[in-house]
Amino acid sequence: MRVNVNGLGKTFQTMDGRVDAIQDLSFEVEPGQFYTLLGPSGCGKSTTLRCLAGLERPDHGEIRIGDRVVSSPTIFLPPNERPIGMVFQSYAIWPHMTVFNNVAFPLKQQKVRKNDRERLVMEALALVQMKDLAHRPAPYLSGGQQQRVALARALVSEPQVLLLDEPLSNLDAKLREELRLEIKELLQRLNITAVYVTHDQAEALAMSDRVAVMFGGKILQEANPKELYLKPNAKFVAQFIGQVNFFEGTVSESSRNGIGVVKTAQGDFRCALPGIIQSGAEALVAIRPESFLVSAETRPDAANVLQGRVEKSVFLGDFIDCQIRVGEQIVRAKLPPTSDLTLADQVFLQFEPHACIVLPVSA
Amino acid sequence: MNGTRTIAIPRFNAQILRRFRGNFIPFALTGFLLFLIIIPLARLLISSFQSGHPAIPEGWTLQNYVTAYSMPLFYQALGTTIIISAIGTLFTLAIAILFAWLIERTDMPLRNLAWALILIPMAIPGVLFALGWALLLAPKTGVLNIILRSVFEPLGFPLTEGPLNIYSIGGLIFLDGLRGVTTVFLMVVGAFRMMDPTMEEAARVAKANGRAAFFQVTLPALMPAVLSAAIYSFISSMESFEGPLAIGLPGGIFVLSTLIYFTTRLQAPLDYGLGAVFGVVYMILMLVLLFGYRRIVRYSERYSTITGKGFRPRVIPIGKWRYPALGMFVGYFIVTVGAPFVILFWASLLPSYRIPSYEALSLVSLANYLQILAMPKLGSIVWNTLLLMVIAATVTMLLAFFVSWVIVRTELSGRGALDAVTFFPHAVPGIVIALALMMAYLSPPLKYLGIYGTLWILAMGFIVSYIAFATRLMNSAIIQVQKELEQAAYVCGATPTRTLLAITLPLLFPAFAAGWVWVAVHVLRGFSIPLMLSSKSNQVFAVSLWEFWDRGLISTASALGVLLIAVLIPLTLIMRRFILRVSAQER
């Protein structure tokens, strides 16, 4: 089922006056797509999801689920009449019921017959591997188990759209990674449209078909995970997803065969440059730590070379997190764990033009 | 299905209700509460400026106020009320704090048993407690006085009466001080338990000995809890009616509550206008106290020494004082429960009251109980009492549940006022509520509802009396229920009404049940409201007990009292279980 959001706006009244939680937000989720709203807390992602669920009434705009308008200035469908399932951050498993009764609740509201209800509940519990614990009282579940029950409860009535509000943020790191894959596979198998809200960029990249990065109530960029990582279109996006080093500069030579030159305090960088950026424009060059080749000597054919001194290095197992002083600036680089560079070593950082992400500096 | 759609609008409830054309539900609720609470009190105020019977007023006048302020008895009653309450509260505080400390913090033996027993005095209605002590300490016939005299006589002090007299201000202070201990204990014991032990440990490390640590660190840190308990206890003492009724009136000692009772129910001719003036003055006094109480409570919440951490503070060994401490506790239990109950039980077994003796033992029988069982009115009295208990407890709790939900969960503009309206009756003594209801339903237009003289007016009185407590309880219970639990139900397809019934109410069942039993116990125990509003057709257990006593049928009254206590003790223990469940949930 397709989800359309058009021109959505929501303002909250707070003690300090009016705050725009979301402004003029539009996006579209394809049927069967795993769509993620990613952003720091307070960016409006949860409000957007709650508008989709009908737990919040938007002030402007329209929401469509399938062909049906569920929210507009004149129409407002309450949550109990929307074709949705939802998983809450706190799971919201009702503690006065057993696992079975929690999952059976949506079916009871739809007046599903008792026999069918039992079958459907057991099927849903089987999906999340909780069949054996069906008759356990809810307070006796671990965090991961509660999460599975919440998922079963959201899926049991076969909703057309599944909404997930930071469902993994209360779990420990290991379980989180396990469940990440499990949920993704399950939703793929059921071919269900999902809208997922998270502040965890790794989670967003690992699970989503498409990600919208939100900040200040707006979507800054919407793309698939790979594009988002490799081609962020704004400083905030580059910074929020993965680590990045920034170099301020001016375009001194505009794009020729896709390569131009940006003049920075650390020297001239040969960069992959979009054609629209004119010579003389101010620009920000973003380079990921893993894009640097760090070595004691330089190769003559390198496109870009920086020279610096190792200031700090932290061994993290799968890589070495290295801070290198280049001129006035500290540059972070990721080195393979086998690297034998030590503190105070003079090193060269080499990088390809295609590793440079050139962002326009807006006035 | 359009009906359900209009109901189910989130953010949430504000919008639901907006759809009901101008906030129908809180409007209706506030209206109902105003009807219950404000209208009678307004009637009371009006009556205080009218002469004649409230139903047939003879015009506006200030005469009632003039009369009141020129009456020495009025000032006397006011002074007596304040003196009894003040000294009684100090007495209560000293005992309650000592017991809270002994039970929570020291190695006194049998502490768990003591914790359970300390609630039992709640099961003894105030009037029975007073009557029991009247039998024990009446100047001539009191059992303890007779024993004391037999001790004094050989020492060369022959007395014909006394030496103690319960029918005195001292007697009232004694009863009042003991009555308050349970409540104050419950109010401060949590603070003793939750107090961060590192604060005391820091004092010990800083070279303070045990006593210095207690008086210079522990007690000051607990001061806000103690202070708010003290004011609360003072307020309750000011409102107390049963002791002054059973002990004060026979001794010619008036307090404000009994003065109102006397003016509007006993004296001839009855003077409603004057009674209304007393009621208004009483209410204003209590409002001032309550205002102070709320300020102190608000202030005490800023103290952060008492955290929610569930640690067990260090137990302080009291060595050779362990058994004297236990002895003191046993003594308290005998004085508050044992002695009055035993003497009432004794009286209930005799054809007419006699001082305990071997000769009297041969007269012991169950005749009084059999006589009660054979009483033709018994059926209707028991039925009335049970019906009143169930109606008052259920309506109070449901109303409180719904009002609290509107207050806590919605963003309606009127909910602050709703909250204030529900808290207000806390300041109005039961006797004043009863008086106000009486006046309101005796005079037009409410007269035509025909409620006066029925069980309904009693139920109203109890609902108004306990709505403040019940909404406080429900407010904090609903805050504990995470919002997402309700929202999850909406998303699962449930309507708000269905969600309230299937999710919210079951989740706060322990609090609801604790409140229900609390109200039920208070209805069974309550004397002031039934006594003020009683007539032939709405007699309840408490009133009929008092009538027997008043007619001098001490034995029959005692038998009724014993039966009442037999019902109240298990109810109190049930309440304790629910209270423990509520506090376990909060952790």
Side-chain angles (χ1 to χ4, degrees):
Chain A
M1 189 71 62
R2 188 182 299 273
V3 177
N4 271 299
V5 173
N6 212 330
L8 204 66
K10 173 84 194 169
T11 308
F12 285 121
Q13 205 72 43
T14 67
M15 302 240 278
D16 316 321
R18 295 164 70 80
V19 175
D20 289 325
I22 39 181
Q23 316 171 35
D24 195 22
L25 199 73
S26 302
F27 59 90
E28 184 173 309
V29 184
E30 303 284 336
Q33 201 172 46
F34 194 115
Y35 190 94
T36 297
L37 298 168
L38 171 67
S41 64
C43 72
K45 58 190 191 302
S46 283
T47 306
T48 309
L49 195 76
R50 291 167 60 81
C51 285
L52 285 176
L55 292 171
E56 213 72 71
R57 182 172 193 161
D59 299 324
H60 308 285
E62 189 184 88
I63 301 171
R64 268 168 203 274
I65 297 178
D67 299 328
R68 194 157 175 208
V69 177
V70 296
S71 176
S72 78
T74 50
I75 299 171
F76 185 81
L77 224 56
N80 48 322
E81 292 177 33
R82 296 190 182 193
I84 52 163
M86 183 161 176
V87 179
F88 290 84
Q89 183 170 13
S90 64
Y91 320 133
I93 297 298
W94 300 305
H96 61 301
M97 298 181 187
T98 61
V99 167
F100 183 93
N101 287 338
N102 260 284
V103 179
F105 188 85
L107 298 175
K108 271 191 200 156
Q109 306 313 313
Q110 294 172 342
K111 311 230 171 357
V112 175
R113 283 220 322 275
K114 195 161 184 262
N115 289 343
D116 295 337
R117 204 157 74 203
E118 264 166 35
R119 182 176 50 81
L120 288 169
V121 169
M122 291 321 274
E123 277 174 22
L125 286 174
L127 276 181
V128 297
Q129 294 148 40
M130 286 288 292
K131 220 172 161 176
D132 300 338
L133 300 180
H135 297 288
R136 185 169 284 203
Y140 296 99
L141 298 177
S142 70
Q145 288 167 339
Q146 287 191 41
Q147 183 52 263
R148 288 163 199 265
V149 176
L151 198 60
R153 187 176 66 187
L155 291 172
V156 72
S157 55
E158 294 173 6
Q160 285 154 347
V161 178
L162 183 66
L163 307 173
L164 303 107
D165 187 5
E166 309 225 14
L168 302 180
S169 62
N170 285 337
L171 300 175
D172 62 69
K174 193 136 193 173
L175 196 57
R176 197 153 57 207
E177 274 179 37
E178 257 173 57
L179 273 171
R180 227 184 245 172
L181 290 177
E182 209 176 299
I183 291 177
K184 178 168 181 164
E185 274 172 22
L186 181 62
L187 298 188
Q188 247 164 12
R189 193 144 44 105
L190 298 173
N191 193 27
I192 191 169
T193 310
V195 181
Y196 190 97
V197 159
T198 182
H199 66 269
D200 182 335
Q201 38 105 3
E203 211 168 282
L205 297 181
M207 299 176 82
S208 321
D209 297 318
R210 215 160 166 77
V211 180
V213 180
M214 288 186 69
F215 185 70
K218 291 178 182 155
I219 292 181
L220 296 182
Q221 186 173 7
E222 192 209 271
N224 66 39
K226 189 174 174 185
E227 195 185 335
L228 205 62
Y229 189 80
L230 296 178
K231 291 179 182 161
N233 67 0
K235 182 178 176 186
F236 178 81
V237 178
Q239 231 171 357
F240 193 70
I241 297 176
Q243 285 186 332
V244 72
N245 296 292
F246 287 115
F247 301 89
E248 288 170 18
T250 321
V251 177
S252 62
E253 223 174 273
S254 64
S255 181
R256 200 179 303 140
N257 304 327
I259 307 287
V261 175
V262 178
K263 197 178 181 66
T264 74
Q266 276 70 36
D268 290 355
F269 291 180
R270 290 167 58 76
C271 301
L273 205 59
I276 46 161
I277 299 186
Q278 298 295 317
S279 177
E282 280 185 45
L284 199 59
V285 181
I287 304 172
R288 303 264 182 216
E290 67 272 16
S291 301
F292 292 113
L293 178 66
V294 182
S295 56
E297 60 262 14
T298 166
R299 278 200 314 240
D301 61 336
N304 297 301
V305 181
L306 295 174
Q307 199 177 356
R309 199 160 49 84
V310 180
E311 281 224 328
K312 277 181 196 161
S313 96
V314 180
F315 184 78
L316 289 173
D318 49 349
F319 65 91
I320 299 171
D321 183 16
C322 209
Q323 295 189 20
I324 299 162
R325 177 171 289 281
V326 177
E328 293 294 288
Q329 199 172 348
I330 300 288
V331 176
R332 284 189 105 118
K334 276 187 188 176
L335 272 57
T338 49
S339 165
D340 52 4
L341 288 178
T342 50
L343 282 188
D345 275 354
Q346 287 290 331
V347 290
F348 295 97
L349 298 101
Q350 302 164 58
F351 53 98
E352 292 302 310
H354 288 283
C356 300
I357 306 155
V358 181
L359 302 166
V361 177
S362 50
Chain B
M1 289 304 283
N2 267 332
T4 55
R5 177 175 309 171
T6 34
I7 290 178
I9 297 173
R11 171 43 78 125
F12 204 80
N13 311 311
Q15 278 150 348
I16 301 178
L17 301 162
R18 212 165 286 147
R19 283 251 172 139
F20 263 114
R21 289 228 184 110
N23 300 352
F24 173 74
I25 288 176
F27 219 63
L29 277 177
T30 316
F32 186 57
L33 281 170
L34 286 177
F35 175 74
L36 277 182
I37 298 168
I38 305 296
I39 291 203
L41 293 177
R43 177 74 243 179
L44 181 76
L45 191 62
I46 291 169
S47 291
S48 74
F49 291 104
Q50 283 177 333
S51 54
H53 190 275
I56 25 170
E58 290 155 16
W60 301 99
T61 177
L62 283 173
Q63 190 53 46
N64 297 324
Y65 284 88
V66 175
T67 312
Y69 290 122
S70 55
M71 250 173 88
L73 184 61
F74 172 56
Y75 295 101
Q76 226 173 32
L78 192 62
T80 311
T81 312
I82 292 172
I83 288 172
I84 292 174
S85 305
I87 303 179
T89 297
L90 288 179
F91 192 39
T92 303
L93 274 183
I95 301 176
I97 290 175
L98 182 65
F99 283 160
W101 182 71
L102 285 174
I103 290 178
E104 274 303 327
R105 302 297 310 274
T106 72
D107 57 350
M108 184 181 97
L110 301 177
R111 283 181 302 156
N112 286 335
L113 184 64
W115 220 128
L117 289 181
I118 203 154
L119 286 177
I120 299 290
M122 279 186 97
I124 314 276
V127 86
L128 290 176
F129 180 57
L131 295 181
W133 275 99
L135 295 178
L136 290 166
L137 279 183
K140 275 195 182 131
T141 55
V143 180
L144 289 183
N145 272 330
I146 291 170
I147 295 172
L148 285 173
R149 285 203 293 269
S150 70
V151 172
F152 282 129
E153 207 164 355
L155 298 174
F157 299 101
L159 297 164
T160 50
E161 62 176 57
L164 299 173
N165 179 7
I166 191 75
Y167 299 110
S168 62
I169 291 190
L172 283 173
I173 292 175
F174 169 73
L175 295 179
D176 181 73
L178 286 172
R179 283 300 288 171
V181 170
T182 309
T183 314
V184 173
F185 173 84
L186 289 175
M187 287 178 85
V188 297
V189 72
F192 270 93
R193 171 177 299 178
M194 299 290 198
M195 200 185 140
D196 189 342
T198 54
M199 289 178 44
E200 266 174 33
E201 282 159 14
R204 297 302 293 269
V205 172
K207 312 276 184 285
N209 63 22
R211 183 171 305 163
F214 180 79
F215 282 104
Q216 291 172 27
V217 175
T218 312
L219 205 55
L222 294 170
M223 220 42 219
V226 169
L227 202 57
S228 71
I231 298 200
Y232 186 90
S233 163
F234 185 70
I235 290 176
S236 314
S237 299
M238 292 279 295
E239 296 185 359
S240 118
F241 172 71
E242 284 110 325
L245 173 75
I247 296 301
L249 283 188
I253 299 161
F254 282 91
V255 297
L256 276 178
S257 59
T258 47
L259 186 60
I260 290 175
Y261 179 69
F262 184 77
T263 316
T264 57
R265 291 290 282 187
L266 294 184
Q267 73 174 24
L270 300 180
D271 192 337
Y272 289 103
L274 193 60
V277 172
F278 296 150
V280 169
V281 173
Y282 201 178
M283 196 164 72
I284 291 171
L285 195 64
M286 301 313 288
L287 270 178
V288 171
L289 281 175
L290 198 71
F291 184 71
Y293 173 69
R294 286 202 93 164
R295 296 213 42 156
I296 285 176
V297 170
R298 202 181 315 152
Y299 174 69
S300 72
E301 276 160 7
R302 276 185 226 141
Y303 256 64
S304 56
T305 54
I306 292 147
T307 60
K309 285 187 240 162
F311 35 54
R312 177 98 201 154
R314 201 165 48 93
V315 164
I316 298 162
I318 49 173
K320 62 180 180 191
W321 292 102
R322 288 179 72 216
Y323 287 93
L326 182 64
M328 200 153 48
F329 183 79
V330 171
Y332 163 79
F333 194 72
I334 289 173
V335 167
T336 51
V337 179
F341 182 77
V342 166
I343 194 75
L344 285 173
F345 189 61
W346 168 256
S348 76
L349 297 174
L350 293 173
S352 63
Y353 179 70
R354 276 157 192 261
I355 295 151
S357 64
Y358 278 116
E359 305 90 83
L361 206 57
S362 63
L363 298 168
V364 163
S365 74
L366 289 174
N368 289 316
Y369 293 93
L370 296 174
Q371 190 201 335
I372 290 172
L373 287 178
M375 217 162 59
K377 282 196 305 185
L378 182 75
S380 78
I381 289 175
V382 169
W383 172 246
N384 279 346
T385 309
L386 290 181
L387 198 63
L388 179 65
M389 178 184 96
V390 170
I391 291 173
T394 309
V395 175
T396 306
M397 291 317 293
L398 281 178
L399 202 59
F401 170 64
F402 206 57
V403 167
S404 291
W405 189 76
V406 170
I407 291 171
V408 174
R409 282 287 199 257
T410 69
E411 285 159 19
L412 287 165
S413 43
R415 71 206 153 90
L418 193 59
D419 198 27
V421 169
T422 54
F423 191 68
F424 175 64
H426 197 54
V428 189
I431 196 97
V432 177
I433 290 173
L435 177 64
L437 283 171
M438 182 163 95
M439 290 179 163
Y441 288 89
L442 269 177
S443 49
L446 291 177
K447 183 177 151 186
Y448 304 115
L449 286 175
I451 285 176
Y452 187 79
T454 67
L455 268 189
W456 295 105
I457 197 163
L458 295 184
M460 274 184 167
F462 282 118
I463 293 167
V464 174
S465 280
Y466 301 131
I467 192 77
F469 170 83
T471 35
R472 286 328 93 179
L473 184 71
M474 286 286 106
N475 277 356
S476 57
I478 291 179
I479 289 170
Q480 307 271 329
V481 175
Q482 229 184 1
K483 263 189 200 167
E484 286 194 347
L485 291 172
E486 285 177 2
Q487 290 171 350
Y490 303 144
V491 174
C492 285
T495 61
T497 317
R498 180 96 188 103
T499 304
L500 272 183
L501 295 177
I503 306 294
T504 318
L505 195 55
L507 281 176
L508 38 84
F509 178 74
F512 189 91
W516 196 95
V517 182
W518 188 92
V519 176
V521 166
H522 281 74
V523 170
L524 285 185
R525 285 187 356 182
F527 264 72
S528 56
I529 290 172
L531 215 53
M532 281 291 281
L533 296 171
S534 72
S535 64
K536 284 214 169 58
S537 57
N538 66 358
Q539 261 210 351
V540 293
F541 216 81
V543 171
S544 107
L545 190 162
W546 178 251
E547 278 188 355
F548 281 117
W549 181 274
D550 217 24
R551 297 204 319 245
L553 299 171
I554 296 174
S555 299
T556 319
S558 301
L560 276 175
V562 169
L563 291 176
L564 189 55
I565 293 172
V567 175
L568 281 166
I569 286 181
L571 269 179
T572 309
L573 293 176
I574 291 172
M575 179 170 73
R576 176 171 182 264
R577 284 195 52 189
F578 282 120
I579 290 173
L580 289 178
R581 266 177 73 185
V582 174
S583 50
Q585 267 189 348
E586 276 169 6
R587 221 158 271 159

